[in-house]
Amino acid sequence: MELQIIETVITGNRKQAWMQHAVTYGVVTTSEAEVLVLFSTQGVIYIGMVQGAEDFRPEDCMHLQRNDTRARRILEAYMQPLPDYPEPLHLIGTEWMIVVWRTLASVACGVPISYADLAARMGKRRAVRAVAHAVAQNPISIVIPCHRIIRSSGDTGQYHWGATLKKNMLASEARLRPALHIL
């Protein structure tokens, strides 16, 4: 299934908006970390690692219905070389953030790009810092691949969930990349 994106534009506090929309959550144990997934009635609104989380922790979600099976199914589908998208992404953020996240979602697996490249794809070459700020606010890690954004120097740079995890994810994706690319 093709990736579907639903948008909710807000101007206030994102965490409050997410929690107003959230109805279900799940926690999935992976080889690298425990992953928290939040769902609205319209789709996935948040994916992030539990360790080091500043946005959400499972204890923030105790008032919601828990469904680890649904969260596992979503992560398994999204982490395939050719991902299946069984549920839409429900992006909740400012208009600018949503534009950046939509563009970021189109970055191909195994092909990291720089913040400057991402800004250029958006036709906003001079907005590199604003693009970087929006990338750093990405609420749907892994699926909206902020880990694929590297520095112009080629250095992998930092990652909200740790530089080691970012390097591991990029290395894993590089192994999946086909040897022949059509230009």
Side-chain angles (χ1 to χ4, degrees), residues 12-34:
N13 183 296
R14 290 181 315 123
K15 184 175 178 178
Q16 286 178 346
W18 290 331
M19 291 312 288
Q20 288 171 352
H21 285 84
V23 294
T24 307
Y25 80 102
V27 178
V28 179
T29 301
T30 72
S31 59
E32 298 288 337
E34 279 192 314

Side-chain angles (χ1 to χ4, degrees), residues 31-95:
S31 59
E32 298 288 337
E34 279 192 314
V35 178
L36 175 66
V37 182
L38 284 176
F39 300 91
S40 71
T41 57
Q42 297 179 292
V44 177
I45 58 174
Y46 180 86
I47 298 176
M49 311 311 154
V50 172
Q51 295 81 3
E54 297 167 9
D55 299 321
F56 293 106
R57 292 180 275 300
E59 55 268 23
D60 295 332
C61 304
M62 294 303 170
H63 65 287
L64 305 174
Q65 178 184 359
R66 185 167 180 165
N67 189 334
D68 293 344
T69 303
R70 182 180 180 193
R72 175 177 289 283
R73 184 176 53 84
I74 290 299
L75 283 181
E76 287 174 348
Y78 289 153
M79 294 184 352
Q80 299 301 313
L82 295 171
D84 181 30
Y85 300 103
E87 294 192 35
L89 302 182
H90 182 184
L91 300 180
I92 300 172
T94 66
E95 193 171 331

